[in-house]
Amino acid sequence: MNKGATDHVLTIVRLLAKGADNSRLSPSEVNILNQNVTALIQHDRDDLVRDFLAAMKEADGVLSQNVAQKLAGYP
């Protein structure tokens, strides 16, 4: 996994962990989360990234509908 993809994964994990701790992300944090998931999709040639994106489908309650739809194609 290249550095760009790794940075997006780490940002996503940090935001999800923060949301779990606070029971909710702020609207700006949700926006950042959606931006990073969308940016990570650009790296989906990597098997690990595809696996991570597939797991992100479970976070559809916090993701925007548009981003959640983009993840629908991942097994």
Side-chain angles (χ1 to χ4, degrees):
M1 184 182 320
N2 69 33
K3 176 148 176 37
T6 301
D7 290 344
H8 292 303
V9 167
L10 291 175
T11 298
I12 291 165
V13 170
R14 285 184 189 115
L15 285 167
L16 291 175
K18 182 176 182 185
D21 287 346
N22 296 336
S23 300
R24 186 169 172 213
L25 294 174
S26 71
S28 64
E29 290 168 329
V30 170
N31 187 43
I32 293 167
L33 175 65
N34 283 294
Q35 288 173 353
N36 277 274
V37 171
T38 300
L40 186 59
I41 290 171
Q42 304 305 314
H43 300 275
D44 75 350
R45 291 175 298 267
D46 185 290
D47 290 339
L48 184 57
V49 170
R50 281 193 305 277
D51 291 345
F52 185 82
L53 290 170
M56 283 299 301
K57 291 192 299 187
E58 300 297 321
D60 64 348
V62 70
L63 297 172
S64 70
Q65 183 178 12
N66 183 42
V67 173
Q69 288 174 343
K70 289 178 183 179
L71 296 178
Y74 293 93

